[in-house]
Amino acid sequence: MTFLAPWALLAGVLAAAGVVALHLVARRRPASYPLPTARFVPDRRTLVSRASRRPRDLLLLLLRVLLILSAAAAFARPVLTPRRSAIARILLLDRSAAVANPAEATRRARELVSDGVPTRLIAFDSAVAVLGEELGVLDSLDRVPPTHGGRVASVSALMAAARRLGSEIGAGADSVELTLVSPLTDREVDAASDSIRALWPGRVRLVPIAATPATRAMPPLGRAVRAEDVLGPALGGRTVREDTHAVRLVRGEPSGADSALARSGGVVVRWDSIGTRTAVPLAVAMGDDVVVATLARTSRDSDGVVLARWADGSPAAIERPLGEGCLREVAIGVPVSGDLPLSPTFQRIVNGLTDACASVRVDAGMPLDSARRAAFIGPARAARGSALANSAERPTPITSWLLGVALACALLELLLRRSYGEPGAAEAA
Amino acid sequence: MTTGAASYGALLDAVRGVRWPARRRATGATIGAHRSRLRGSSSEFSEFRPYRQGDDPRRVDWRLLARSDRAYVRLTTDRATMRTEIILDASASMAFPPVTLERWQRAREVAIGLAAVAHAESDPVGLSIAAEAPVRIPPRARRSVIAEMIRAVETVTARGSSGLAPLLASSRAARVAVITDLLGDAEELLAASRLALAAGSEVVLLHLLTLEELDPPAEAQLAVDPEQPELRRSLDADGRRRYRAALDSWMERAQGDFRAAGVRYVRALASESAARIVRRVAADAPADE
């Protein structure tokens, strides 16, 4: 236990000593002496003080000293300081689709935690899960497949969670090591990552592991697109094979064969409004790509994963899982005239809408370059626990109890003093 | 402390022969030891005075008339008695110091001594005690009056705060001796004295003090007025100094006031012997002789 305001305790001790000293000074009324000419004595106080070897009114003294010390101890703000260790560790284990081999990541994590340092585990993919210190958790992680459609993780959210956890465990350790087991790709780092990373006052130990390859071929289209189709320029270069089960672009209601394709793992893209002649200026966004053009807008059922949105936030393209594949509906009407299909941005949107299902699509990005990685790792020293902890002390109810004791002593002292009557009256008798 | 008439024997012996002349001519009709305002037929020749119309022809000195052919009246000096009353303060403040009660004891002795002196000159003497139950023995000249007074003072205890002024105002004596510490109704007593003096009486005030009052003992740290118990004052070093100054001032003021009014003020200490105090009271020569 320690005191946040030790001067209050010191002041209380001094005050208690003063009370004891006052109790050693016996103020009593002297014995009366009948003097007929007392009227000529000037009217002054009738109490005299003298020093005593033993304090008087021991019970009153005890109550007063207890009152003062209790109040002083309460005002000194006692807190319980937890037992500290030299170092603690926060292990950040990447479980996102960016990790090429999750088993390898778990193995590396197990190697790290085998040194006996108290470790808190944060497993993250697109979500962040703070786990305990049990090493068995690592084994269970091996059996959990990556979630959320293979999306990569957000380092910003991860660092925020790590900072919160650091605030909790920082009070119990002199330093906190933050270890990140991740390929750390550029898709995992966003614009806010640097500022959030700066909130961690120390080094991030990076244990790199292999990332899922970021470059891959777009899945082949399974149906021919006529040369005059407005999407033709946008799909230029894509392989068209009639017998493929990858992606099928359809117009109108999908047929039974289309549904069978989707159930077997393919992608059926229903894109009706191709070649529309009634278009107005609209904006559509998909990921980081935004296109502002004369487009036609049709209504679609919004039940599904939104892939693209209109400027007002309403879905422009959705995807619904169907069997092992998915069915995708696009409500973006492309005008028959204009050079929109030639726009690189629009081509990226079209490729994205004709890409594989989101549940199996992986785009982990490229590993960070050395400069950004070094900046992310930061200084050579691990974060100090005191710098992380909001307060090194935990609040304790003892302050309330001390104040209660002081109040009780004050009441008892008042009652006792009243029972004694006027101070010194007993001695004057 | 001895009590009873026997204890006053030594005092009565000590004051035997002491004279207590009146300061004014006595107006009593009975022949006594004091000069009378009347000049008449006594045998003590004083002087001759030419006869005036209206003089008693029997007082004309016929032999001188025969020799000188002038009519002279023979004047003589008359002596008369003086009704004397002793007023004794028996308030609680007189019972001081607390253990010895020296002031009360001395006041009783002086009262008896003065009464004995007056009685020895054939003066009718009486005693009034301002006690909680006032005692009044009217002036008498018979021999047993002193013994009666002794019994009276021995039965009274000094307590309470009875006033002296009513007793003085109701007194018809030609000479009144008040024995007091002046710690009671001093102002009223001064007013009553003025009235008595205006009526032709002689007033003697014996202010009886004690050494303990003038210099309170060291153990007197908390002074309590016996007549006003709620009056409690602390006597520290500075308080003692200021107390003495206030007491001296008060005594001087009281002496000045009473003397200015015509009262014969005598201050005495209770530690003095009663006979000495009696002699001091009685020794002064008459003022108008």
Side-chain angles (χ1 to χ4, degrees):
Chain A
M1 177 185 294
T2 185
F3 295 95
L4 297 182
W7 56 265
L9 197 61
L10 179 62
V13 171
L14 291 178
V19 168
V20 173
L22 287 177
H23 274 253
L24 286 173
V25 177
R27 289 174 57 81
R28 59 181 62 213
R29 200 186 295 276
S32 59
Y33 182 84
L35 184 67
T37 50
R39 70 191 68 174
F40 301 111
V41 180
D43 190 7
R44 304 167 76 172
R45 62 184 175 84
T46 57
L47 292 177
V48 296
S49 301
R50 65 178 177 82
S52 174
R53 289 184 178 180
R54 293 188 57 194
R56 61 194 174 89
D57 302 331
L58 284 177
L59 191 54
L60 259 181
L61 172 63
L62 180 66
L63 283 174
R64 287 170 176 169
V65 169
L66 192 57
L67 187 159
I68 292 174
L69 290 183
S70 301
F75 283 113
R77 299 173 60 193
V79 291
L80 294 175
T81 305
R83 194 169 59 183
R84 301 176 70 89
S85 60
I87 188 171
R89 176 191 291 131
I90 298 176
L91 180 61
L92 311 173
L93 180 59
D94 195 342
R95 299 292 300 162
S96 70
V99 179
N101 187 357
E104 181 201 359
T106 304
R107 181 181 58 79
R108 298 293 299 273
R110 182 173 286 108
E111 290 174 359
L112 289 169
V113 301
S114 61
D115 57 3
V117 173
T119 302
R120 294 293 298 273
L121 180 62
I122 296 179
F124 67 97
D125 41 26
S126 57
V128 177
V130 179
L131 306 176
E133 299 180 3
E134 302 84 3
L135 297 181
V137 173
L138 293 172
D139 298 328
S140 63
L141 289 177
D142 286 339
R143 296 188 290 272
V144 178
T147 56
H148 292 271
R151 293 181 180 179
V152 294
S154 168
V155 167
S156 299
L158 173 67
M159 290 304 296
R163 183 65 181 82
R164 284 195 297 271
L165 184 58
S167 300
E168 294 179 12
I169 68 175
D174 294 334
S175 62
V176 179
E177 178 189 87
L178 187 64
T179 303
L180 174 61
V181 180
S182 170
L184 195 59
T185 65
D186 54 359
R187 288 290 305 274
E188 293 180 317
V189 178
D190 54 27
S193 296
D194 291 340
S195 58
I196 297 178
R197 163 65 183 89
L199 297 177
W200 183 266
R203 176 170 62 98
V204 177
R205 179 184 176 190
L206 179 62
V207 180
I209 53 177
T212 302
T215 57
R216 60 181 176 79
M218 293 294 289
L221 287 173
R223 181 165 295 178
V225 177
R226 293 191 298 272
E228 64 273 19
D229 195 299
V230 294
L231 291 181
L235 293 170
R238 294 283 294 274
T239 303
V240 177
R241 292 190 317 194
E242 193 64 29
D243 57 345
T244 184
H245 295 284
V247 178
R248 179 173 294 175
L249 183 63
V250 300
R251 300 234 163 75
E253 286 295 331
S255 63
D258 297 334
S259 298
L261 173 65
R263 291 181 187 281
S264 62
V267 182
V268 176
V269 180
R270 180 184 177 186
W271 198 329
D272 291 339
S273 304
I274 300 297
T276 179
R277 298 179 184 279
T278 56
V280 294
L282 291 171
V284 65
M286 181 177 180
D288 296 334
D289 299 320
V290 180
V291 167
V292 180
T294 52
L295 300 170
R297 178 173 175 173
T298 59
S299 60
R300 279 286 179 268
D301 188 1
S302 61
D303 185 15
V305 178
V306 178
L307 300 179
R309 291 184 184 275
W310 296 107
D312 60 0
S314 59
I318 61 170
E319 177 184 292
R320 285 195 295 271
L322 185 62
E324 295 181 1
C326 59
L327 176 62
R328 194 172 292 156
E329 295 186 11
V330 180
I332 304 172
V334 181
V336 295
S337 59
D339 59 352
L340 179 63
L342 299 177
S343 166
T345 304
F346 185 72
Q347 289 177 1
R348 286 197 297 272
I349 290 177
V350 171
N351 285 331
L353 292 175
T354 57
D355 201 350
C357 290
S359 60
V360 298
R361 186 175 59 206
V362 176
D363 186 7
M366 297 296 290
L368 287 181
D369 56 59
S370 58
R372 293 190 64 188
R373 177 172 297 198
F376 183 82
I377 290 173
R381 182 175 299 175
R384 287 184 294 109
S386 57
L388 288 170
N390 293 329
S391 173
E393 300 81 12
R394 286 178 292 175
T396 170
I398 194 170
T399 299
S400 304
W401 284 103
L402 287 171
L403 286 176
V405 169
L407 183 61
C409 288
L411 291 175
L412 285 175
E413 193 266 353
L414 181 64
L415 293 175
L416 194 60
R417 192 148 45 88
R418 285 191 175 178
S419 69
Y420 280 2
E422 185 182 356
E427 295 86 345
Chain B
M1 179 172 57
T2 57
T3 60
S7 64
Y8 292 91
L11 171 65
L12 296 179
D13 285 342
V15 299
R16 183 171 295 127
V18 175
R19 293 191 63 243
W20 187 8
R23 299 182 74 195
R24 298 183 178 185
R25 291 183 179 273
T27 57
T30 309
I31 296 175
H34 307 285
R35 293 179 182 274
S36 173
R37 287 185 178 180
L38 303 177
R39 291 184 177 180
S41 55
S42 73
S43 58
E44 186 176 348
F45 173 75
S46 173
E47 59 182 337
F48 288 109
R49 176 174 58 80
Y51 175 80
R52 293 194 295 250
Q53 188 175 2
D55 286 341
D56 187 353
R58 291 176 296 180
R59 298 177 63 186
V60 174
D61 191 325
W62 298 107
R63 293 181 181 176
L64 183 60
L65 177 61
R67 287 200 300 267
S68 62
D69 199 19
R70 287 182 291 187
Y72 283 92
V73 175
R74 188 183 182 89
L75 297 180
T76 59
T77 300
D78 284 355
R79 296 280 176 174
T81 59
M82 178 171 255
R83 286 170 61 91
T84 302
E85 183 170 5
I86 312 296
I87 298 178
L88 179 60
D89 184 0
S91 62
S93 60
M94 292 293 289
F96 186 79
V99 177
T100 62
L101 305 182
E102 185 180 39
R103 175 155 58 195
W104 174 236
Q105 176 66 18
R106 199 66 68 235
R108 290 188 300 185
E109 292 172 354
V110 170
I112 297 301
L114 286 175
V117 169
H119 186 260
E121 293 181 334
S122 303
D123 291 335
V125 62
L127 175 67
S128 292
I129 304 177
E132 285 185 322
V135 175
R136 187 148 208 174
I137 300 173
R140 297 192 187 103
R142 62 189 180 196
R143 295 181 60 184
S144 62
V145 69
I146 299 300
E148 187 180 354
M149 289 181 182
I150 291 173
R151 284 193 298 272
V153 298
E154 287 297 321
T155 56
V156 173
T157 302
R159 64 162 70 109
S161 58
S162 300
L164 296 168
L167 295 178
L168 178 58
S170 62
S171 174
R172 296 293 175 262
R175 180 168 60 185
V176 181
V178 181
I179 304 172
T180 179
D181 54 12
L182 280 182
L183 294 174
D185 53 343
E187 294 296 326
E188 293 82 356
L189 184 63
L190 179 61
S193 299
R194 288 194 176 106
L195 290 176
L197 289 166
S201 299
E202 176 186 345
V203 179
V204 179
L205 180 75
L206 175 60
H207 188 185
L208 207 51
L209 299 167
T210 65
L211 289 174
E212 288 79 2
E213 283 175 331
L214 300 177
D215 186 14
E219 63 267 23
Q221 294 182 338
L222 180 64
V224 180
D225 191 332
E227 295 186 20
Q228 303 176 60
E230 68 279 5
L231 197 154
R232 306 165 77 88
R233 303 282 170 80
S234 177
L235 262 176
D236 52 10
D238 181 60
R240 287 173 184 274
R241 183 179 53 77
R242 295 170 61 181
Y243 162 77
R244 285 169 192 154
L247 184 64
D248 290 343
S249 172
W250 170 72
M251 288 191 300
E252 292 303 317
R253 190 170 61 252
Q255 175 177 305
D257 290 346
F258 278 98
R259 284 187 174 170
V263 176
R264 195 162 154 254
Y265 175 93
V266 178
R267 185 186 300 160
L269 285 174
S271 55
E272 299 178 48
S273 69
R276 176 181 168 85
I277 297 173
V278 169
R279 289 176 188 276
R280 286 181 55 198
V281 171
D284 283 2
D288 54 355
E289 271 196 348

